[in-house]
Every structure is written in C-alpha cells, then in structure tokens.
Amino acid sequence: MFRLFAGSVATVYLVGVACAGNEVFVGRRVAATTAFDRIDHSVWDTLLKKYVDDDGMVNYRAWHSSSADTQALDQYLSTLSTGQANQATTNGKLAFWINAYNAATIRGILREYPTTSIRNHTARLFGYNIWKQLQLYVGGQPHSLEGIEHEILRKMNDPPIHFAIVCASIGCPRLLNEAYTPERV
C-alpha cells in the first residue's frame, strides 16, 4: 500500500518518506508556522501508549502491520515539520526535539523493518547510515538524528536528555510510553 509521487530529480516519496540517493527524508519541506510550545503531541502520545510497553520495548511488528498507525506517525512527523523555535520556552524546545528525535528514529526502524538491529543501518563508509541520512524536515530545513542529538539537544546543556532520546537499541535508555510536553519534560 505505497503511494508514489514524482518529486524533484532523484526523489521518490513513499508514504510520507522521501528517498534521494541514500538520504531519507521524513516530514514535509514546509515553512515554520507553529511555535514549538504549541505543537500537538497527542498523536505521538497515543501511538506510544499503543506500541510501547512499560519496559520501553516497542512492538515494531504490530506497528509495521498497521498502515493506519504508520500513516499517523507520518502525519505527526509532518506536524513537527511546521515547528518554529521563535519564542519557544526551554521546556518547549526540549519536548519538541526529544519527541522529534524519538519519532524519527521509530519511523526509520519501521522503514527498515524487519531488522534485527539499528546497527545494521549504520554504515561507516558506504551505504545508508540512519544517524546521518535519515532527515526530518523542521521549518523547511532537514535535520539528521545525529544533528538533532549533537547540534541541538546536547548544546542545550541538559544532561537528562540522554535518558530521554532513544536510539532503538537494547543498550539505550528505555523509551517512555508517553510523549514529552513542555509541561512535563
């Protein structure tokens, strides 16, 4: 159940995911229109409650089997694409970027499913590297998982974020089965 749309040269859009060479884009390339603090995370919250257990384990098989819920995740990522940092509180920025990182990571794994490890998608020299080539559009600009973690979240100098961002690996902190909000970050 894939929908194909012609895009720019060497770009194909698959159910909200665009591929150009090894680059994979999620979300939409749109202008920033919604303050980070005002982004609605309820869809993400519902998906987390449905597919993540109390131990932080994600039921990828069930999620991947639900085209409606995969589309809901794509729509949430598109909502994040409208995010605008201007006048956002620190907690609003933290909640936004933590949710963005986690949702994009989950979408990346669902794209590769079935897979035994995220490390299967982290080529060092050649091939697809999920950390660098999975890009989430926010305010018209692409952001890699690596960039979100190192260039945005780490620079906020809030050490607990390392317990909030989840790299989809058993060795990572557990994924909270609820969305972060500015009020509860």
Side-chain angles (χ1 to χ4, degrees):
M1 187 156 154
F2 291 101
R3 295 180 299 174
L4 297 175
F5 301 96
S8 59
V9 176
T11 302
V12 176
Y13 294 87
L14 300 172
V15 192
V17 179
C19 308
N22 285 337
E23 304 254 284
V24 175
F25 298 91
V26 294
R28 297 177 297 145
R29 191 174 196 165
V30 296
T33 57
T34 310
F36 284 175
D37 291 52
R38 300 187 72 128
I39 294 286
D40 181 5
H41 300 288
S42 62
V43 168
W44 178 234
D45 189 70
T46 299
L47 292 169
L48 290 170
K49 284 177 174 31
K50 185 172 183 178
Y51 293 106
V52 181
D53 67 21
D54 291 336
D55 293 324
M57 301 300 288
V58 180
N59 187 343
Y60 288 106
R61 177 178 290 138
W63 200 333
H64 187 265
S65 295
S66 173
S67 61
D69 287 341
T70 301
Q71 288 174 2
L73 177 57
D74 288 337
Q75 184 57 46
Y76 174 68
L77 291 165
S78 291
T79 298
L80 293 177
S81 294
T82 67
Q84 181 178 31
N86 294 356
Q87 301 176 346
T89 64
T90 299
N91 283 353
K93 290 176 185 176
L94 278 170
F96 178 89
W97 286 112
I98 291 167
N99 288 328
Y101 181 93
N102 290 340
T105 300
I106 295 292
R107 187 60 183 100
I109 295 299
L110 290 172
R111 177 183 178 268
E112 301 301 329
Y113 189 85
T115 185
T116 57
S117 173
I118 195 168
R119 296 191 187 280
N120 295 339
H121 313 287
T122 58
R124 294 190 189 268
L125 297 176
F126 299 104
Y128 176 65
N129 184 321
I130 195 169
W131 308 117
K132 296 178 182 193
Q133 293 170 306
L134 179 64
Q135 306 268 328
L136 170 64
Y137 280 117
V138 176
Q141 299 300 311
H143 297 273
S144 68
L145 295 173
E146 182 177 80
I148 293 170
E149 179 180 357
H150 297 288
E151 300 302 318
I152 297 171
L153 286 167
R154 283 189 185 208
K155 289 186 176 183
M156 294 179 82
N157 294 319
D158 192 348
I161 62 114
H162 298 289
F163 296 101
I165 59 173
V166 180
C167 68
S169 175
I170 292 292
C172 286
R174 70 182 191 93
L175 180 61
L176 190 63
N177 59 3
E178 64 184 66
Y180 288 90
T181 63
E183 302 78 28
R184 295 191 55 200
V185 76

